[in-house]
């Protein structure tokens, strides 16, 4: 007998980095399930615009995931407007690309702050709210980069390995509390973060909606972990049983060791400019045409 899916109707969900890409697609997928959604983003005007376009009573709010006061204010406002939080989706992340030795210290620190500390901070703040209620869900946007290593994104991989380790540990630590941990591990997704990057040989690059639908599935079924596409999970588990030389040969065959360093810098120019501004502490400046297309 098929397991009954949990209803997400009326669930209050907060999504970080929700103005674009996977975050926005996840908001749309959850709204379609009847959830009440608050999206937070470092680009507050774009978050407000995305929320208005998504409809369904969605709210868009400013959020710097690296700042406790900002993250607390975001969750407080979501709860004030929508009700007690049921789900936090830790989606915000950044990914500059380039040889490790050429990466600036500022870029490395910013990646750790956003990709890891932002997830740690959000998880803590959500757990504080969930424990007294005896329920809640935290969904972490991990990555296949959290299970392997890809030249050109060494620090990004390190941050995602840490997210996987954090999520595995919290799952054990919170067992029996009613709080559930979930993680989704996609390969490179067709978003601005992966602009200019060709997919690995033999794999079609997923769309943000594929990841969003997987997040819905995690919440409906209570599963802990899912890969996007699913075959990546099968390959990852099989590789854990193989000798290292065989694994290395598979990576070379699929060009997994080349895709990041071969990224087209022209196609990544807009994303890189936005990341440089963030790393340098400048306010986000998004061209009007991007806002209209978001």
């Amino acid at each position: 007998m098929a397991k009954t899916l949990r209803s997400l109707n009326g669930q209050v969900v907060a999504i970080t980095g929700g103005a674009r890409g996977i975050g926005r697609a996840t908001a749309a997928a959850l709204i379609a399930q009847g959830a009440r959604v608050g999206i937070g983003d470092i680009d507050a005007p774009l978050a407000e615009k995305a929320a208005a376009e998504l409809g369904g009573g969605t709210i868009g709010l400013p959020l710097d995931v690296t700042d406790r006061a900002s993250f607390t204010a975001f969750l407080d406002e979501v709860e004030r407007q929508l009700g007690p939080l049921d789900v936090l989706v830790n989606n915000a992340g950044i990914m500059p690309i380039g040889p490790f030795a050429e990466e600036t210290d500022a870029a490395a620190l910013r990646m750790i702050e956003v990709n890891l500390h932002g997830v740690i901070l959000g998880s803590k703040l959500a757990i504080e709210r969930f424990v007294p209620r005896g329920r809640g869900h935290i969904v972490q946007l991990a990555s296949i980069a959290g299970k392997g290593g890809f030249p050109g994104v060494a620090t990004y991989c390190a941050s995602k390995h840490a997210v996987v380790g954090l999520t595995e540990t919290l799952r054990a630590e919170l067992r029996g509390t009613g709080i559930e941990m979930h993680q989704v591990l996609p390969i490179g997704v067709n978003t601005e973060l992966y602009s200019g990057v060709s997919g690995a040989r033999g794999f079609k690059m997923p769309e943000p909606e594929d990841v969003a639908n997987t997040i819905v599935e995690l919440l409906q079924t209570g599963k802990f972990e899912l890969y996007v596409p699913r075959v990546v999970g099968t390959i990852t588990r099989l590789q854990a049983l193989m000798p290292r030389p065989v694994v290395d040969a598979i990576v070379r065959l699929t060009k997994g060791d080349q895709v990041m360093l071969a990224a087209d810098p022209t196609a990544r120019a807009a994303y890189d400019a936005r990341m440089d501004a963030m790393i340098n502490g400048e306010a986000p400046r998004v061209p009007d045409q991007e806002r209209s297309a978001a």
Side-chain angles (χ1 to χ4, degrees), residues 5-85:
L5 298 180
R6 300 169 177 176
S7 173
L8 302 179
N9 188 51
Q11 295 282 289
V12 175
V13 183
I15 303 173
T16 72
R20 300 176 175 84
I22 292 172
R24 178 173 170 142
T26 299
L30 288 166
I31 292 165
Q33 294 294 324
R36 308 179 70 194
V37 177
I39 58 175
D41 202 279
I42 193 73
D43 186 342
L46 191 60
E48 293 170 3
K49 183 175 186 295
E53 291 172 348
L54 288 164
T58 304
I59 58 174
L61 300 165
L63 171 63
D64 178 353
V65 297
T66 71
D67 181 80
R68 175 176 280 270
S70 176
F71 216 139
T72 299
F74 167 62
L75 295 180
D76 284 346
E77 189 62 17
V78 168
E79 294 199 317
R80 188 186 74 80
Q81 293 195 42
L82 302 180
L85 186 69

Side-chain angles (χ1 to χ4, degrees), residues 73-156:
F74 167 62
L75 295 180
D76 284 346
E77 189 62 17
V78 168
E79 294 199 317
R80 188 186 74 80
Q81 293 195 42
L82 302 180
L85 186 69
D86 295 296
V87 181
L88 172 66
V89 180
N90 278 318
N91 166 72
I94 61 173
M95 191 183 71
I97 294 177
F100 178 66
E102 296 176 11
E103 177 184 87
T104 66
D105 293 343
L109 286 171
R110 190 61 179 168
M111 267 188 282
I112 297 301
E113 287 172 351
V114 175
N115 298 359
L116 176 56
H117 183 249
V119 173
I120 291 173
L121 182 54
S123 299
K124 284 180 179 176
L125 294 175
I127 289 168
E128 288 174 3
R129 294 161 196 262
F130 293 159
V131 166
R133 303 168 190 164
R135 60 179 176 79
H137 299 262
I138 300 173
V139 181
Q140 317 286 42
L141 259 294
S143 168
I144 191 60
K147 297 283 189 174
F150 301 89
V153 285
T155 301
Y156 178 82

Side-chain angles (χ1 to χ4, degrees), residues 139-255:
V139 181
Q140 317 286 42
L141 259 294
S143 168
I144 191 60
K147 297 283 189 174
F150 301 89
V153 285
T155 301
Y156 178 82
C157 288
S159 71
K160 292 300 184 178
H161 272 74
V163 168
V164 170
L166 172 73
T167 310
E168 294 274 3
T169 304
L170 289 179
R171 180 178 182 239
E173 187 172 317
L174 296 169
R175 188 171 288 118
T177 65
I179 302 170
E180 297 183 30
M181 300 297 302
H182 313 272
Q183 64 182 7
V184 58
L185 300 103
I187 60 172
V189 180
N190 186 25
T191 65
E192 187 191 26
L193 186 120
Y194 273 87
S195 55
V197 179
S198 301
R201 179 184 291 170
F203 294 95
K204 180 183 177 183
M205 184 174 281
E207 297 297 325
E209 291 75 16
D210 297 322
V211 181
N213 291 335
T214 299
I215 291 171
V216 169
E217 182 179 348
L218 285 169
L219 293 170
Q220 287 179 328
T221 62
K223 292 177 180 178
F224 167 62
E225 175 183 273
L226 287 173
Y227 289 78
V228 184
R230 301 297 176 83
V231 68
V232 174
T234 302
I235 293 170
T236 300
R237 287 185 285 271
L238 288 173
Q239 285 180 337
L241 304 174
M242 297 176 184
R244 191 56 183 257
V246 175
V247 174
D248 290 343
I250 292 172
V251 171
R252 289 193 297 271
L253 180 65
T254 60
K255 295 189 176 181

